[in-house]
Amino acid sequence: MTTVLSLPAPPGRSDRLYAAVPLGGVLRRPGQPAHRILLVGWGLGLLLSLGLGLASIYYDWSGLPLEIGGVQTYVTVYPPLVLCTLLTLWFGFWWGFIPAYLSTFALALFGGMPLPWALLFAFADPLGLAVLALAFRAAPFRVDLRAWSAFLFYVFAMFLGGLLGSSGAFIWSHTNRLGLSQFFAVWQGWWLGAFVQGVLIVGPILWGAGPAVLRWKRSLETPQRWHAPSGQRVGVAFLLVFALIALFIIS
């Protein structure tokens, strides 16, 4: 007889808030229909992230020049980040971390980066995802963005996450011996591309598909309903994030 992990929660405001699905719990019970669908979709998403990550370096989508109002700017197109952001906000940090890390790691190796640097460099995009997960874990804003306050909070979190994730540009520029102007193009393209993709692509998907995904999540194993974390835990988490940033810059 199949054991149900958790009963569907009645609809309510907390259903629309950030709630991670335990990856370990799903992996331990892959036979459940909802778990099987999630794992198959996640596996396909992981393969898609790897392919699109390699395509982004093969077709040189990094630091594309773009003129806005007569000002030269640079934007990087990195499709895996779109998928990994959705996975993070809908299902939890680890669901987005693994494909984000592996796709960035594969990209780095394909680009000729030495293995030790590639292992560190691959944390860049997950660092930005960690900011998003922490922000929505700490504040009671709707993940489907169907409120102006939630949308504005998301825009701010995306901006901060893009900036922190772009710390990987230091390693990319160092290992490829780029000059100052080239470094600026890579760095600006990284954070601006992440921000633009997050607002113009991920945002509408969260708004349009979010309610259906959140309803479907009730068939999965979920943790406790949203509750405010302690200030101490949030403080420790952000200190760890900034410690990683310092490690990027010092390296």
Side-chain angles (χ1 to χ4, degrees):
M1 183 175 179
T2 303
T3 301
V4 178
L5 291 174
S6 59
L7 294 175
R13 182 176 181 274
S14 62
D15 291 340
R16 309 182 190 115
L17 305 182
Y18 178 84
V21 176
L23 178 58
V26 174
L27 290 174
R28 284 192 296 270
R29 297 173 176 84
Q32 291 196 12
H35 290 188
R36 191 182 308 118
I37 293 172
L38 179 57
L39 288 174
V40 170
W42 184 56
L44 293 175
L46 195 155
L47 293 176
L48 184 61
S49 294
L50 288 170
L52 290 174
L54 294 177
S56 68
I57 189 171
Y58 181 80
Y59 292 106
D60 196 16
W61 295 339
S62 176
L64 301 175
L66 182 66
E67 189 169 316
I68 302 178
V71 178
Q72 183 79 14
T73 57
Y74 300 91
V75 176
T76 292
V77 178
Y78 190 61
L81 194 56
V82 171
L83 180 59
C84 295
T85 301
L86 291 171
L87 288 171
T88 297
L89 291 180
W90 280 340
F91 302 108
F93 173 69
W94 293 108
W95 295 92
F97 167 83
I98 293 175
Y101 184 89
L102 292 178
S103 59
T104 307
F105 178 67
L107 177 154
L109 292 180
F110 185 77
M113 185 178 292
L115 178 60
W117 283 113
L119 290 169
L120 179 61
F121 175 77
F123 281 103
D125 283 325
L127 183 61
L129 295 178
V131 172
L132 276 178
L134 282 171
F136 276 90
R137 172 68 183 86
F141 286 102
R142 295 175 58 149
V143 177
D144 60 13
L145 307 186
R146 295 201 168 199
W148 275 110
S149 58
F151 175 74
L152 294 176
F153 178 76
Y154 170 75
V155 169
F156 173 74
M158 276 302 311
F159 175 71
L160 184 58
L163 281 179
L164 298 187
S166 68
S167 55
F170 291 96
I171 295 178
W172 183 264
S173 300
H174 172 74
T175 55
N176 287 279
R177 297 179 173 82
L178 301 183
L180 184 59
S181 61
Q182 293 173 302
F183 161 74
F184 179 78
V186 172
W187 173 75
Q188 186 187 60
W190 195 318
W191 73 260
L192 186 57
F195 178 71
V196 170
Q197 287 186 156
V199 174
L200 299 184
I201 300 177
V202 179
I205 295 175
L206 289 171
W207 187 89
V213 172
L214 297 179
R215 285 194 299 270
W216 181 75
K217 275 179 63 178
R218 298 187 198 126
S219 62
L220 299 168
E221 179 184 14
T222 55
Q224 300 176 9
R225 300 168 77 88
W226 187 93
H227 62 277
S230 67
Q232 183 180 8
R233 292 182 63 182
V234 173
V236 170
F238 274 104
L239 282 177
L240 289 175
V241 169
F242 284 108
L244 280 175
I245 297 171
L247 180 61
F248 270 114
I249 296 175
I250 292 173
S251 300

